[in-house]
């Protein structure tokens, strides 16, 4: 939406004027219909071929999505995710040899409550999205953001699956699929009866007024747009992962394109998310364990997608977001976007340069992330980047912060035991656990210490919470999980002297949880 300049700047007019003389670079026969980048003019047919091939190549190269697997497409209604949806549709309709073989479903999260939209307005948007999804014939789930308040604390725990040799198991899965193929043949038309039954459950759930208010209260406690966007991103991701789990999907497909990822890469550095750059921008994001998030659109620029959608009439819906109609300097994310997009106009390799640099960062940190399974951030579920040596930049930041800081942070202040509700119920082991899940901030008085949210968050998520005036409206599942983790670390601390060595400490604790 913000890429209008970049998308159409001279691209649709100039080729028309010069196309009479220009031939397509690829087939060298047909007249070129568009200029993808200087020196690369393509005809309609070749452009479509190029676009479709890119999508299939991205999935084929990574071999992560198995045949017959249920994949949840996160569609925001925007051009990029709608182009992704279109590619999946195309892929399923192709002839047997080239066909995509997974089973797609679609999810849309309605964030209208944060924009103060009326119920009518939200219903209108949802109806628009619903009709868009209905055309695909895939099962779809339209979920209001308020549903995030009903999530269980288990969302925040990555589920670890036994990992075999991925390449070997992929081949096995393909062979198995081919053998049982006649039964499972993934023709969208055949599956439709089964799908339509599922679709019934996808009508927008009834949203209680109180839940909308709670969510609005939460966001009104956030002082900056930067932190609001970050918090929204976190909550949205939790909701997506939870939906995938409850509906039986094992992959989550995100529509982030190359331009988006280049912006994200730079914005993440500015936000202090350097440690998570690789996972955030890589094709495959394994941080949730059982639900793997993949980004098949990451090789497309926003321009390519817009041209494709325009030429092939791919439907998409304009849906305003928190960033819509805000000034360039209103948030770090917005400023980075405007910086990259404006630079891209005059220097067309800006996006690809940033993106390729990101590619190089990946490998090392991603493998490192999978191998060790240390503490994860409560919000973004990335490995905690705060357990660093005394000479790290992080410690230096903390020291200078301490020196210039007066007063307590909202994280500590609002969670002192004396401000918490105490349930008075006996809190023994399993009962206590369930009980605490129901009562958000209760039972934390057990150790008598204030709850320390800070120690459970990565550096960047800490900054987001620091931008909040209070954390009392954070969803219950987050608070309950925070309580649980705090209790666990407290127990670990209490029994620490009975533990033999640093290494034998973690397994013994893990066994009892
Ligand atoms: Zn051509
Ligand atoms: Zn985090």
């Amino acid at each position: 939406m913000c890429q209008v300049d970049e998308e159409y700047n001279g691209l649709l007019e100039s080729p028309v004027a010069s196309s009479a003389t220009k031939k397509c670079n690829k087939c060298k026969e047909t007249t070129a219909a568009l200029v993808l980048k200087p020196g690369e003019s393509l005809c309609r047919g070749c452009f479509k071929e190029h676009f479709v091939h890119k999508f299939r190549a991205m999935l084929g190269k990574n071999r992560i999505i198995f045949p017959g697997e249920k994949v949840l497409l996160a569609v925001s209604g925007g051009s990029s995710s709608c182009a992704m949806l279109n590619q999946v549709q195309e892929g399923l309709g192709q002839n047997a040899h080239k066909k995509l073989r997974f089973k797609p479903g679609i999810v849309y999260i309605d964030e209208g409550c944060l924009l103060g939209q009326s119920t009518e307005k939200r219903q209108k948007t949802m109806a628009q999205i619903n009709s868009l999804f209905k055309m695909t014939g895939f099962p779809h789930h339209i979920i209001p953001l308020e549903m995030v308040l009903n999530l269980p604390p288990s969302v925040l725990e990555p589920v670890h699956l036994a990992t075999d040799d991925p390449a070997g198991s992929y081949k096995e899965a393909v062979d198995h699929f081919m053998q049982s193929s006649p039964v499972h043949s993934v023709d969208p038309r055949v599956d439709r009866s089964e799908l339509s039954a599922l679709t019934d459950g996808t009508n927008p759930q009834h949203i209680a007024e109180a839940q909308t208010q709670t969510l609005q209260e939460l966001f009104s406690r956030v002082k900056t747009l930067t932190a609001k966007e970050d918090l929204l991103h976190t909550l949205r991701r939790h909701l997506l992962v939870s939906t995938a789990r409850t509906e039986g999907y094992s992959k989550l497909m995100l529509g982030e394109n190359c331009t988006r990822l280049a912006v994200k890469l730079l914005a993440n550095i500015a936000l202090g998310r350097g440690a998570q750059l690789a996972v955030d921008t890589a094709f495959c994001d394994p941080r949730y364990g059982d639900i793997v998030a993949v980004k098949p659109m990451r090789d497309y620029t926003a321009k390519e997608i817009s041209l494709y959608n325009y030429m092939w009439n791919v439907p998409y819906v304009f849906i305003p977001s928190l960033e819509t109609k805000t000034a360039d300097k209103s948030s770090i994310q917005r400023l980075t976007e405007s910086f990259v997009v404006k630079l891209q106009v005059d220097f067309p390799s800006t996006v690809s340069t940033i993106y390729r640099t990101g590619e190089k960062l990946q490998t090392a940190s991603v493998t490192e992330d999978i191998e060790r399974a240390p503490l994860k951030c409560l919000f973004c579920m990335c490995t905690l980047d705060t357990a660093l040596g005394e000479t790290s930049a992080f410690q230096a930041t903390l020291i200078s912060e301490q020196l210039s800081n007066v007063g307590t942070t909202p994280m500590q202040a609002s969670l002192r035991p004396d401000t918490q509700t105490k349930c008075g119920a006996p809190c023994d082991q399993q009962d206590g656990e369930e009980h605490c899940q129901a009562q958000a901030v209760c039972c934390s008085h057990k150790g008598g210490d204030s709850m320390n949210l800070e120690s459970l968050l990565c550096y960047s998520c800490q900054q987001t919470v620091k931008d909040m005036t209070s954390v009392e409206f954070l969803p219950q599942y987050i608070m309950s999980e925070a309580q649980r983790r705090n209790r666990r670390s407290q127990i670990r601390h209490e029994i620490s002297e009975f533990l033999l060595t640093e290494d034998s400490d973690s397994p013994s604790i893990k066994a009892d949880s």
Side-chain angles (χ1 to χ4, degrees):
M1 285 127 259
C2 319
Q3 306 100 358
V4 174
D5 273 355
E6 177 204 7
E7 284 155 14
Y8 297 113
N9 193 19
L11 280 158
L12 290 173
E13 290 86 359
S14 61
V16 179
S18 58
S19 61
T21 49
K22 265 199 173 170
K23 289 278 180 213
C24 164
N25 280 144
K26 213 166 180 187
C27 60
K28 315 243 187 284
E29 287 168 5
T30 326
T31 319
L34 57 99
V35 183
L36 215 48
K37 51 188 164 195
E40 196 178 355
S41 316
L42 295 178
C43 66
R44 275 174 73 94
C46 289
F47 176 54
K48 183 161 189 175
E49 204 176 288
H50 156 91
F51 199 89
V52 173
H53 172 76
K54 231 178 186 181
F55 188 79
R56 310 186 53 81
M58 182 54 85
L59 292 180
K61 185 173 76 183
N62 290 286
R63 295 191 154 207
I64 285 175
I65 298 177
F66 288 26
E69 198 172 9
K70 282 181 80 183
V71 179
L72 187 61
L73 279 65
V75 176
S76 65
S79 56
S80 193
S81 55
C82 282
M84 172 175 82
L85 180 59
N86 175 272
Q87 285 308 299
V88 171
Q89 272 180 286
E90 293 257 332
L92 289 172
Q94 282 198 347
N95 57 41
H97 171 60
K98 283 180 170 178
K99 201 164 171 170
L100 292 176
R101 299 193 188 98
F102 57 82
K103 292 185 174 179
I106 321 171
V107 63
Y108 167 78
I109 296 182
D110 169 53
E111 295 158 9
C113 56
L114 298 185
L115 304 167
Q117 288 175 353
S118 64
T119 318
E120 293 76 51
K121 167 87 180 136
R122 293 183 69 183
Q123 272 165 355
K124 203 179 147 201
T125 313
M126 285 199 228
Q128 257 180 313
I129 289 284
N130 197 32
S131 63
L132 189 75
F133 289 176
K134 262 197 179 147
M135 286 194 294
T136 64
F138 302 150
H140 51 273
H141 315 272
I142 296 178
I143 302 173
L145 186 66
E146 284 92 336
M147 295 303 286
V148 80
L149 299 169
N150 303 336
L151 294 184
S154 56
V155 177
L156 301 171
E157 274 203 274
V159 178
H160 291 287
L161 298 177
T163 45
D164 314 330
D165 168 30
S169 50
Y170 180 82
K171 203 179 169 302
E172 268 170 40
V174 173
D175 291 347
H176 179 78
F177 183 83
M178 294 311 268
Q179 278 161 15
S180 56
S181 196
V183 192
H184 282 289
S185 153
V186 193
D187 185 334
R189 277 153 302 195
V190 178
D191 276 354
R192 232 161 245 183
S193 55
E194 176 200 338
L195 303 183
S196 59
L198 285 164
T199 325
D200 291 344
T202 61
N203 295 324
Q205 279 93 341
H206 175 73
I207 323 157
E209 187 101 324
Q211 289 194 311
T212 309
Q213 271 175 11
T214 312
L215 211 57
Q216 284 168 346
E217 288 275 9
L218 168 65
F219 277 82
S220 71
R221 298 296 190 280
V222 188
K223 289 182 285 182
T224 59
L225 187 62
T226 303
K228 272 185 189 165
E229 278 175 41
D230 199 62
L231 182 65
L232 173 61
H233 181 264
T234 303
L235 296 181
R236 190 197 293 130
R237 198 51 80 79
H238 292 168
L239 194 52
L240 287 176
V241 171
S242 169
T243 309
R245 279 191 187 140
T246 49
E247 302 293 337
Y249 294 91
S250 47
K251 296 283 182 319
L252 186 61
M253 227 183 224
L254 306 169
E256 286 167 304
N257 58 47
C258 177
T259 312
R260 189 76 249 149
L261 287 172
V263 171
K264 197 172 177 181
L265 191 97
L266 291 187
N268 273 3
I269 294 172
L271 290 168
R273 282 197 190 282
Q276 298 133 25
L277 278 187
V279 209
D280 266 343
T281 53
F283 171 77
C284 163
D285 180 351
R287 76 180 83 171
Y288 313 102
D290 56 339
I291 308 289
V292 177
V294 294
K295 306 182 187 78
M297 303 300 286
R298 67 195 295 270
D299 253 359
Y300 297 95
T301 61
K303 183 175 93 188
E304 266 175 292
I305 293 173
S306 301
L307 286 172
Y308 183 85
N309 287 354
Y310 175 82
M311 293 182 108
W312 274 273
N313 296 322
V314 177
Y316 62 91
V317 187
F318 173 73
I319 294 168
S321 69
L322 277 181
E323 279 186 343
T324 311
K325 289 189 184 169
T326 54
D328 281 3
K329 289 179 185 167
S330 54
S331 74
I332 292 178
Q333 295 91 333
R334 181 81 187 77
L335 182 60
T336 317
E337 183 183 17
S338 110
F339 169 70
V340 172
V341 168
K342 280 178 185 163
L343 205 59
Q344 173 79 7
V345 175
D346 293 325
F347 303 93
S349 9
T350 305
V351 165
S352 60
T353 308
I354 303 171
Y355 172 71
R356 300 288 162 214
T357 314
E359 294 263 82
K360 294 190 179 89
L361 292 170
Q362 276 171 41
T363 352
S365 6
V366 170
T367 44
E368 189 189 24
D369 197 46
I370 298 168
E371 275 167 16
R372 333 175 266 145
L375 290 173
K376 303 280 182 184
C377 170
L378 189 65
F379 278 14
C380 66
M381 301 176 78
C382 278
T383 307
L384 278 188
D385 54 358
T386 47
L388 299 166
E390 281 186 16
T391 49
S392 63
F394 171 66
Q395 290 300 334
T397 315
L398 283 190
I399 291 169
S400 71
E401 211 174 68
Q402 268 167 15
L403 291 173
S404 55
N405 203 13
V406 268
T408 43
T409 63
M411 290 187 250
Q412 287 154 345
S414 63
L415 282 159
R416 298 259 176 244
D418 50 358
T419 62
Q420 288 161 15
T421 43
K422 296 182 185 179
C423 61
C427 202
D428 54 343
Q429 308 269 303
Q430 291 123 12
D431 277 6
E433 196 71 46
E434 263 174 48
H435 179 78
C436 291
Q437 284 175 11
Q439 308 277 322
V441 200
C442 103
C443 295
S444 62
H445 55 279
K446 248 184 141 184
D449 275 359
S450 69
M451 191 175 87
N452 188 359
L453 200 54
E454 202 164 353
S455 66
L456 306 172
L457 298 175
C458 70
Y459 175 73
S460 183
C461 294
Q462 282 182 17
Q463 300 308 310
T464 300
V465 175
K466 275 179 189 165
D467 270 348
M468 296 169 72
T469 51
S470 92
V471 292
E472 58 179 320
F473 287 99
L474 276 176
Q476 288 198 351
Y477 71 98
I478 293 183
M479 298 312 260
S480 311
E481 177 66 11
Q483 300 285 347
R484 199 183 67 86
R485 291 192 193 180
N486 265 336
R487 275 201 308 277
R488 209 203 272 186
S489 73
Q490 208 174 355
I491 294 171
R492 178 191 297 224
H493 179 74
E494 280 167 16
I495 62 168
S496 60
E497 55 182 297
F498 303 109
L499 297 169
L500 291 175
T501 59
E502 200 66 45
D503 300 304
S504 62
D505 148 310
S506 35
S508 60
I509 292 290
K510 267 180 195 143
D512 84 0
S513 60

